[in-house]
Amino acid sequence: MFSLGVISVMLALLSGLGQSVFWWGVLWGYVLMYLISLVLWYSSVGLAGCWGNFMIVDNFSFSLMSLTILVSGLSMLASVRDVWKMENKTIEFVFSVLILTVILVYCFSVSSLLNFYIMFEFSLIPILLIILGWGYQPERLQAGKYMLLYTVSASLPLLILISMVLVSGGSVFWGWKFLSSEWGWLMTICASLAFLVKLPIYGFHLWLPKAHVEAPVAGSMILAGILLKLGGYGLVRVFYTLSLFSSLTVSGIFCLGLGGGIVASMVCFAQNDVKALVAYSSVGHMSLVLGGIYSNTEWGWLGCLLMMVAHGLCSSGMFFLASETYKFYSTRSLYLVKGGLVLIPGVALCWFLVCAINMAAPPSLNLWGELMLGISVLSYSTVFALLTGIMTFLSGLYSWYLYSVTQHGQCPLWVRGVVVMEEYTLYLISFLLVFLLGVAGLVMMSLL
Amino acid sequence: MKSPNKLLFMFLMISSTCLVASSSNWLTTWMGLEINMLGYIPLIFLKDNAMESEAAVKYLIPQSVGSTIFISSAIISNYFNNLQILMLIAMCLKLGVAPFHFWFPPVMATLQLIPAFILLTWQKIAPILVIASLNTLLLKMIMPIAVISALWGGVGGINQTDIRSLLTYSSIGHTGWMLASIASNHMIMFSYLLTYILINASIFTFLLKENMKSYKQLFYSKESTKMFILTISLLSLGGLPPLTGFLMKLLVLMFTEAKMVIIFGLITGALMSLFYYLSLTFSVLLNMSKINLTKHMMNTKESTLFLLSQILPLTMILFFF
């Protein structure tokens, strides 16, 4: 943990050395940080404290921290053309991403609920800066405002709850359980509303497609890859800490989540923007994560962790490919983006793999996540079998829909068919993502 | 502001606030309030135009009415104890808290920047101290006023295009929060007031440098570092979590003894005001994307000070809870 902090400070100091040194220095720094964060996985007790009780790291934190560092590094790599080559406020961009990474890493490792809340909100400022500073359309203002107001307003009940627990119990440390369940339903809603919006589940999701459509590639990669996972992580933590229980509310949220997941999956087919489609597909996947958490079983929580990591890698890969498509076609409209197989076969292969992973095809981590989540949801009530089944089916359907609509058909005449040399390096990114997913799935298989 | 009579009036204004703070009976309190008003009014005149004299009259009338109600109810409440609530209301009138705030935005809209800053910050201290020294039973009754004020501060500012009236509505909202914190613990109210004054000072330092009054002028500023600092200060005033403004709101929330409904109202007001701070921030940020930032290097002394003032409270809160 300490070395992660030191590295990030040293990376910030690199800014004096000029733009290109800074950019690539920070990228290699991310590689280093990623390797160091992997060391944290090998702790003997599955729990590591740092700086006294200030930071506590366990299974959930390890994997999400590594995911954070990986995805933010990749998002910088993905915006080489947008930001570094164009000299589009390079240093400010790198600083925003770096600060966001540091905030998120700390967010995943602090031990108190209040600190988590503060970091949770703090992460909004850099992502707002990224969307506003490097987005494309003027609508990004509205998107940014939506995002900020949705998240902040939903998280204020949580703040009240935290301050009440803090005053009555004296501390909001993760590991303790304080709250007696008077007014259990209100407590449950207060505690989970912030994260339901952040995940987001259907009904609280309006900010997400807007933010994704307007964000630059790095912004939407980070948003889908990490920031949505804050919601799942927070739910696990809050439920573990406060041991809330109110069967009626939980059932209600369950129904909203799973039913909304189906609706969101169906809404996918009505989208005409690639990015919006991917955003809605992540709403669908996240509702399954919600089901895993609320089923209140160990399997559900582990499955939710698997799903979050897998979806973090997969959806950021999809957003990267969407931005690549935008570079070729100068549009993201599904009516115009056609014929990728003829035009850019390498990218088409990436699309194929990522779509297969998004629909949870066998060797991937997504499959394991989805299986574990499905089983834990069924253990809550067999009624949900139908909903989960439909959702899995629909996720397969829209993944292939996305693939076939963008890659088949006749490609428009204005599109340039040449792949520039430098783009080959970029495809390595998505291959890397795919590769990681495959390896992770195999490892999981051998473990189980 | 440099002429000797201005200095004299400044001295009057400051010392009379001290008089109010240290007075032991209502008569001296009243005297302090009146002297405070008399000391402030001449400070309004920076350019000697008609707008300023209009502002002075608009300021004078509610203030003197407030003081009159205050002293007369203080005397009468010896005989009718219930009338003490009038003292509270008179002070709310002087503060410009929501149901009694109608004089406040028009006055602010016609003032120059320095008097506006004084009106927003220093002129709040004396009345709020008077309210804090009232009967504690009376202070329970202040909660509805606090909620209305926080809500009105949120609603009123939404459609404003003038930075001064925006800050006025934000001050109405913040005064609501301060009033809510009076009933719990005075130290929290004082720290809230102090932090509010400091954040406002940082905003006004920037505005003064460019002599900005309207929203649109923000688009034409050239100094991007200062714009960034202004952005963060505005968000801090809005109470976005990691910044200083959030810390004071958190303190109020933690130590208040108010009902849930009241807390809910306060928070709704804060949210609505966050909306207009955001709009203000956006115009700054959009402008930042137009100019090339790399050409203006950071002014290290300013930015270090700024980071200390906005981020230091964060580390405090991180390590102590």
Side-chain angles (χ1 to χ4, degrees):
Chain A
M1 273 316 295
F2 182 67
S3 46
L4 288 186
V6 171
I7 289 177
S8 52
V9 170
M10 279 170 70
L11 290 184
L13 290 181
L14 275 179
S15 64
L17 292 179
Q19 283 195 10
S20 84
V21 177
F22 183 42
W23 180 272
W24 295 109
V26 169
L27 259 175
W28 281 106
Y30 269 118
V31 174
L32 201 60
M33 281 161 85
Y34 181 62
L35 292 178
I36 289 175
S37 76
L38 286 184
V39 174
L40 286 174
W41 290 55
Y42 296 100
S43 85
S44 51
V45 283
L47 192 74
C50 312
W51 291 340
N53 283 340
F54 182 51
M55 289 177 181
I56 301 284
V57 194
D58 68 352
N59 276 333
F60 280 88
S61 323
F62 297 150
S63 36
L64 289 175
M65 271 161 58
S66 298
L67 179 76
T68 306
I69 295 168
L70 180 66
V71 170
S72 23
L74 288 178
S75 74
M76 266 184 68
L77 204 53
S79 46
V80 165
R81 274 190 61 186
D82 279 354
V83 179
W84 184 59
K85 294 227 160 175
M86 308 260 293
E87 298 198 353
N88 182 9
K89 291 166 282 180
T90 314
I91 290 187
E92 287 77 14
F93 177 81
V94 177
F95 264 111
S96 309
V97 176
L98 196 60
I99 289 173
L100 188 55
T101 316
V102 171
I103 291 169
L104 286 169
V105 165
Y106 280 76
C107 191
F108 286 130
S109 57
V110 284
S111 64
S112 121
L113 211 53
L114 185 65
N115 292 352
F116 171 73
Y117 174 82
I118 291 169
M119 286 307 185
F120 176 78
E121 297 289 312
F122 198 178
S123 66
L124 283 174
I125 297 181
I127 193 73
L128 185 75
L129 284 180
I130 289 176
I131 290 178
L132 291 186
W134 290 269
Y136 307 110
Q137 316 295 335
E139 282 83 13
R140 63 182 191 270
L141 293 186
Q142 197 197 12
K145 212 181 256 184
Y146 254 70
M147 184 183 74
L148 203 64
L149 287 179
Y150 253 83
T151 342
V152 171
S153 57
S155 66
L156 284 171
L158 178 66
L159 174 63
I160 297 179
L161 184 69
I162 290 174
S163 66
M164 276 169 57
V165 174
L166 190 59
V167 169
S168 68
S171 162
V172 276
F173 180 66
W174 284 141
W176 300 347
K177 302 187 175 185
F178 314 94
L179 221 62
S180 63
S181 51
E182 264 177 86
W183 291 73
W185 62 275
L186 192 62
M187 295 291 177
T188 314
I189 290 179
C190 277
S192 45
L193 189 63
F195 305 120
L196 294 188
V197 171
K198 195 76 184 183
L199 260 177
I201 66 167
Y202 192 81
F204 304 110
H205 69 288
L206 275 179
W207 62 274
L208 185 73
K210 276 185 200 294
H212 272 308
V213 168
E214 300 304 332
V217 52
S220 47
M221 278 174 81
I222 292 177
L223 200 59
I226 318 162
L227 288 181
L228 302 194
K229 277 71 202 170
L230 273 179
Y233 177 78
L235 271 182
V236 172
R237 287 307 188 193
V238 164
F239 272 65
Y240 196 73
T241 310
L242 303 179
S243 64
L244 299 164
F245 185 70
S246 154
S247 57
L248 189 65
T249 323
V250 167
S251 302
I253 295 177
F254 228 112
C255 291
L256 180 64
L258 290 179
I262 290 177
V263 179
S265 307
M266 290 205 258
V267 168
C268 277
F269 295 104
Q271 298 304 313
N272 53 12
D273 187 330
V274 179
K275 269 191 168 178
L277 200 157
V278 180
Y280 272 105
S281 89
S282 60
V283 175
H285 284 294
M286 284 296 120
S287 64
L288 216 52
V289 167
L290 180 86
I293 296 165
Y294 275 75
S295 68
N296 212 3
T297 53
E298 197 70 30
W299 259 60
W301 289 356
L302 288 179
C304 135
L305 178 64
L306 279 186
M307 188 71 182
M308 287 199 293
V309 173
H311 180 262
L313 290 171
C314 163
S315 67
S316 54
M318 285 182 100
F319 278 113
F320 165 63
L321 287 176
S323 88
E324 280 301 290
T325 314
Y326 181 75
K327 278 172 205 154
F328 281 117
Y329 293 85
S330 311
T331 174
R332 287 193 309 259
S333 166
L334 279 175
Y335 304 115
L336 295 174
V337 179
K338 299 277 181 202
L341 272 173
V342 184
L343 195 68
I344 27 171
V347 183
L349 176 63
C350 292
W351 267 116
F352 174 80
L353 290 174
V354 168
C355 283
I357 287 168
N358 195 38
M359 70 176 280
S364 64
L365 197 53
N366 291 47
L367 176 72
W368 290 101
E370 218 160 275
L371 279 181
M372 287 175 85
L373 288 177
I375 291 168
S376 55
V377 167
L378 288 198
S379 79
Y380 185 78
S381 158
T382 34
V383 180
F384 293 129
L386 187 65
L387 296 183
T388 318
I390 294 177
M391 204 176 339
T392 314
F393 171 68
L394 280 176
S395 82
L397 212 57
Y398 61 67
S399 300
W400 286 132
Y401 169 72
L402 178 60
Y403 173 71
S404 57
V405 161
T406 54
Q407 305 306 319
H408 291 271
Q410 187 183 7
C411 68
L413 292 174
W414 74 84
V415 180
R416 75 186 163 91
V418 196
V419 179
V420 183
M421 192 57 206
E422 79 216 15
E423 280 163 7
Y424 279 114
T425 52
L426 297 182
Y427 300 139
L428 281 178
I429 300 168
S430 50
F431 276 123
L432 186 64
L433 286 181
V434 169
F435 179 71
L436 277 170
L437 278 182
V439 168
L442 285 175
V443 168
M444 275 305 300
M445 263 195 285
S446 60
L447 284 183
L448 282 174
Chain B
M1 281 312 240
K2 277 174 192 152
S3 59
N5 58 341
K6 287 282 192 302
L7 274 181
L8 170 71
F9 287 122
M10 191 79 104
F11 168 74
L12 261 186
M13 189 184 76
I14 293 172
S15 59
S16 64
T17 309
C18 300
L19 178 63
V20 172
S22 56
S23 72
S24 60
N25 56 1
W26 292 133
L27 193 67
T28 28
T29 309
W30 172 71
M31 273 167 54
L33 288 171
E34 290 290 59
I35 297 171
N36 187 27
M37 179 186 76
L38 290 180
Y40 174 67
I41 286 177
L43 294 182
I44 292 177
F45 294 98
L46 275 186
K47 298 216 163 137
D48 279 330
N49 54 18
M51 298 272 272
E52 285 175 340
S53 45
E54 187 192 328
V57 175
K58 273 186 188 162
Y59 177 75
L60 170 74
I61 293 172
Q63 293 292 318
S64 49
V65 168
S67 309
T68 317
I69 297 176
F70 173 74
I71 189 64
S72 52
S73 57
I75 294 166
I76 299 173
S77 63
N78 278 333
Y79 307 104
F80 305 102
N81 222 349
N82 288 338
L83 277 181
Q84 268 195 339
I85 191 138
L86 272 181
M87 292 161 71
L88 184 69
I89 287 174
M91 281 306 106
C92 288
L93 178 64
K94 280 182 89 81
L95 265 180
V97 176
F100 316 106
H101 72 285
F102 291 100
W103 61 272
F104 201 13
V107 170
M108 280 292 290
T110 45
L111 284 182
Q112 294 294 316
L113 280 175
I114 294 176
F117 173 63
I118 297 175
L119 183 55
L120 275 187
T121 53
W122 185 263
Q123 292 302 94
K124 280 206 184 327
I125 297 178
I128 228 168
L129 283 176
V130 176
I131 291 181
S133 57
L134 279 173
N135 187 351
T136 41
L137 274 178
L138 215 53
L139 290 182
K140 301 282 179 209
M141 289 196 242
I142 215 170
M143 285 302 172
I145 296 180
V147 172
I148 293 171
S149 175
L151 283 174
W152 195 264
V155 173
I158 283 176
N159 223 3
Q160 301 297 324
T161 52
D162 183 284
I163 297 178
R164 282 164 305 172
S165 30
L166 204 81
L167 288 173
T168 315
Y169 281 106
S170 105
S171 119
I172 291 173
H174 278 289
T175 320
W177 277 79
M178 283 174 218
L179 291 186
S181 65
I182 281 180
S184 53
N185 187 346
H186 286 182
M187 285 319 288
I188 291 169
M189 188 269 293
F190 290 139
S191 60
Y192 196 114
L193 187 61
L194 196 63
T195 327
Y196 173 73
I197 290 175
L198 288 179
I199 295 175
N200 253 327
S202 73
I203 290 174
F204 269 91
T205 340
F206 171 78
L207 294 180
L208 268 176
K209 228 166 212 165
E210 314 239 334
N211 199 21
M212 281 190 184
K213 283 166 202 152
S214 115
Y215 215 77
K216 273 188 192 151
Q217 278 174 299
L218 286 175
F219 281 107
Y220 304 114
S221 171
K222 288 281 175 294
E223 292 181 71
S224 54
T225 319
K226 293 216 181 69
M227 301 290 258
F228 179 70
I229 290 178
L230 178 70
T231 310
I232 298 290
S233 312
L234 277 172
L235 287 180
S236 172
L237 195 60
L240 207 64
L243 305 170
T244 319
F246 167 69
L247 193 65
M248 49 191 195
K249 288 213 163 87
L250 182 71
L251 279 178
V252 175
L253 281 183
M254 268 171 57
F255 292 101
T256 185
E257 289 152 9
K259 297 262 187 315
M260 271 315 249
V261 186
I262 285 169
I263 295 177
F264 184 73
L266 285 176
I267 281 185
T268 318
L271 255 186
M272 283 192 282
S273 48
L274 184 62
F275 179 79
Y276 57 72
Y277 295 123
L278 263 186
S279 329
L280 200 63
T281 308
F282 280 170
S283 45
V284 180
L285 279 178
L286 265 192
N287 185 34
M288 267 170 72
S289 67
K290 272 193 299 189
I291 40 181
N292 195 356
L293 283 183
T294 45
K295 281 178 190 154
H296 309 269
M297 285 312 284
M298 278 275 195
N299 181 347
T300 36
K301 207 202 288 172
E302 259 177 18
S303 48
T304 317
L305 274 178
F306 160 75
L307 279 180
L308 281 183
S309 70
Q310 294 293 346
I311 308 292
L312 209 57
L314 169 71
T315 52
M316 233 164 63
I317 203 170
L318 281 185
F319 281 99
F320 286 102
F321 288 108

